Amino acid sequence: MKDPKTLTLDPPPPQPPPAFSLFPTLNPPLKTLTFHKISTLLITFVAYAAFHASRKPPSIVKSVLGPDPNSPQTGWPPFNSARGPHRLGELDLAFLSAYAIGMYFSGHVGDRIDLRVFLTIGMIGSGVFTVLFGLGFWLDVHSLSYFIMIQICCGGFQSIGWPCVVAVMGNWFGKSKRGLIMGVWNSHTSVGNIIGSIIASSVLGFGWGWAFLLPGILIVIISIIVFLFLVVNPETIGLKLPSEEEEAETEISTEGMALVNLQKVDSEEDDDDDDESTSNSVVSSSPAIGFLEAWKLPGVAPFAFCLFFSKLVAYTFLYWLPFYIRNTAVAGEQLSHKTAGILSTIFDMGGVIGGILAGFISDQIEARAVTSIMFLTLSIPTLIFYRLYGSISMFNNISLMFLSGLLVNGPYALITTAVAADLGTQTSINGNSRALATVSAIIDGTGSIGAALGPLLAGYISTRGWNSVFFMLILSLCIAGLLLIRVVRSEIKGKVNEGKWLWFSAIAC
């Protein structure tokens, strides 16, 4: 029997979404576990794609707001002066710093309240402040403090999204093929960037405010779908994930999912009402893991700091690539604002493939760190080639940009999804699913500090020349790889001990 004092401290179990009352056919057994897995994947995919679509406009409008050497009278005060790139970098810093700090708090809160409601709040807040940034165009606002405050508030609401969607996915999907599933699912980041880039670039001709207004409205609309339909975990609607024995029979790994424990308890009860009460008591009997305790979990710190440098590179491209393309002649031709914005989506297209490929490879070799360091190593010469030869022709620019996106986003996508889910449900915490949001927030929050630093440094360093910016990016990739050396050695040693990588042992000897 559970201690009554503990019962009063536990949060109430998540309630079924309102749509399940409005549309009874969504309830089991009319809809199967597979149906709800797919619907959860799609809803969280669309939700986070909307987050990134609303995050993309600042990078698209940089070339419009900032100074243009060929047209000194253009731009938008206070960003069109000689210090314009610095101020644009400070704008990125305001957003990403709030995002990084908010990520730690969001993960902590997300493990303690209904993720569906929390995610909806984050989406609505993000949409409102994205729209408010765009209103600066029609209200003729030229105050730097106004735009910085908007970005700080927007970053705080945006930080709610990631811990929520990762925790929901961790509740629904086991560890088998998690890398591939998460790799495909994580393409929402690049898909959202592409959608945001296309929308923002297409309406620049009507005024830069439209680039913020439309993505802001889009995320608010999608938040309604999330609130009505998202199911946080299977038992909320009376479903169960396969038991350990059933997973073993179908070659699904049994590590790490807290719901497996629920099925064991439920199977011992004959009465349906007893099953439900027992299930709820097990959920609440697993207390949310503490912030410092989560930092001490094996592998969390190395991957978190690796993501710091990986995300520094990825977000520098996210926020400055359209500006770089606009200010770097390709085949001797200066591209327009619209063309530069749309062309930058090639990097994100490569990111889609990179995330899926990294997830697939890591599943096949069962080594996340080894996969990550492979991508990081290959990305270094690729960025060098892109800087040296990308401006020679449009073909070179597109192909090298695509390859750069593939290799840069591969480990970034893998660490923020499959690795975070693995570490948040590892056996050392007995598969406590209420650690998922905290661990994913620590990893992505630490990465987001790097994401805040990268665009800021790019804004300052770019005034000295783009070679200096690329040197910073390449150095960051080298450090990211070095941080995983110990984890890579551990993975290789484990595989050799299991008799799986004997060829590596022979080469090492």
Side-chain angles (χ1 to χ4, degrees), residues 75-285:
W76 185 271
F79 305 108
N80 62 342
S81 65
R83 288 181 52 83
H86 297 175
R87 289 176 173 173
L88 290 170
E90 291 163 3
L91 210 60
D92 297 336
L93 177 66
F95 174 88
L96 292 167
S97 296
Y99 179 84
I101 295 170
M103 184 72 70
Y104 294 116
F105 290 100
S106 298
H108 187 74
V109 174
D111 279 329
R112 290 161 173 79
I113 69 172
D114 191 330
L115 290 171
R116 175 177 58 85
V117 176
F118 195 38
L119 180 59
T120 302
I121 293 171
M123 297 181 74
I124 293 175
S126 298
V128 168
F129 283 101
T130 300
V131 170
L132 286 176
F133 193 107
L135 287 179
F137 171 75
W138 289 285
L139 298 177
D140 200 29
V141 177
H142 297 282
S143 169
L144 179 63
S145 60
Y146 171 83
F147 294 109
I148 286 180
M149 286 304 301
I150 292 295
Q151 288 295 79
I152 290 173
C153 295
C154 190
F157 279 103
Q158 285 263 339
S159 70
I160 295 174
W162 187 246
C164 290
V165 295
V166 170
V168 171
M169 285 291 290
N171 288 337
W172 278 94
F173 292 90
K175 193 173 181 181
S176 177
K177 299 183 180 179
R178 178 180 280 170
L180 178 59
I181 292 173
M182 289 292 202
V184 173
W185 174 74
N186 192 64
S187 63
H188 52 44
T189 298
S190 298
V191 170
N193 290 340
I194 292 169
I195 293 172
S197 297
I198 293 174
I199 292 176
S201 300
S202 300
V203 297
L204 274 180
F206 301 101
W208 62 261
W210 288 99
F212 290 87
L213 182 64
L214 298 184
I217 294 174
L218 175 65
I219 191 173
V220 171
I221 292 173
I222 294 176
S223 72
I224 299 173
I225 298 174
V226 169
F227 180 77
L228 291 176
F229 292 95
L230 180 63
V231 181
V232 171
N233 48 48
E235 75 270 9
T236 300
I237 54 174
L239 290 174
K240 301 178 183 179
L241 293 180
S243 65
E244 290 188 2
E245 292 76 12
E246 292 169 335
E247 284 186 329
E249 291 174 1
T250 56
E251 298 183 354
I252 298 178
S253 171
T254 60
E255 292 181 22
M257 300 306 297
L259 296 177
V260 173
N261 295 328
L262 291 176
Q263 295 144 24
K264 286 183 176 180
V265 175
D266 288 343
S267 64
E268 295 174 358
E269 303 292 332
D270 295 326
D271 185 80
D272 291 339
D273 294 334
D274 290 342
D275 286 350
E276 184 177 355
S277 62
T278 304
S279 175
N280 290 336
S281 68
V282 174
V283 172
S284 57
S285 65

Side-chain angles (χ1 to χ4, degrees), residues 310-441:
S310 297
K311 208 166 180 179
L312 183 154
V313 177
Y315 268 64
T316 300
F317 275 100
L318 173 67
Y319 280 90
W320 284 95
L321 184 57
F323 186 88
Y324 171 74
I325 296 172
R326 168 71 177 126
N327 290 275
T328 304
V330 179
E333 181 182 352
Q334 204 78 27
L335 302 180
S336 66
H337 297 297
K338 180 178 179 179
T339 302
I342 294 177
L343 186 62
S344 68
T345 62
I346 300 298
F347 183 86
D348 295 302
M349 292 179 186
V352 173
I353 305 301
I356 296 173
L357 187 61
F360 175 76
I361 293 174
S362 71
D363 280 342
Q364 296 302 306
I365 67 176
E366 299 178 348
R368 312 290 195 206
V370 172
T371 304
S372 297
I373 206 168
M374 287 168 48
F375 275 72
L376 290 168
T377 302
L378 292 173
S379 65
I380 293 171
T382 304
L383 290 192
I384 295 174
F385 291 147
Y386 179 61
R387 174 56 185 161
L388 294 177
Y389 306 112
S391 60
I392 293 177
S393 67
M394 186 61 74
F395 174 80
N396 280 10
N397 194 288
I398 291 175
S399 58
L400 288 172
M401 192 192 310
F402 180 88
L403 191 58
S404 297
L406 186 152
L407 294 170
V408 167
N409 283 313
Y412 160 41
L414 184 64
I415 293 171
T416 55
T417 54
V419 170
D422 288 349
L423 297 176
T425 56
Q426 56 187 288
T427 54
S428 62
I429 51 175
N430 298 319
N432 180 4
S433 66
R434 294 182 65 197
L436 267 171
T438 299
V439 171
S440 63

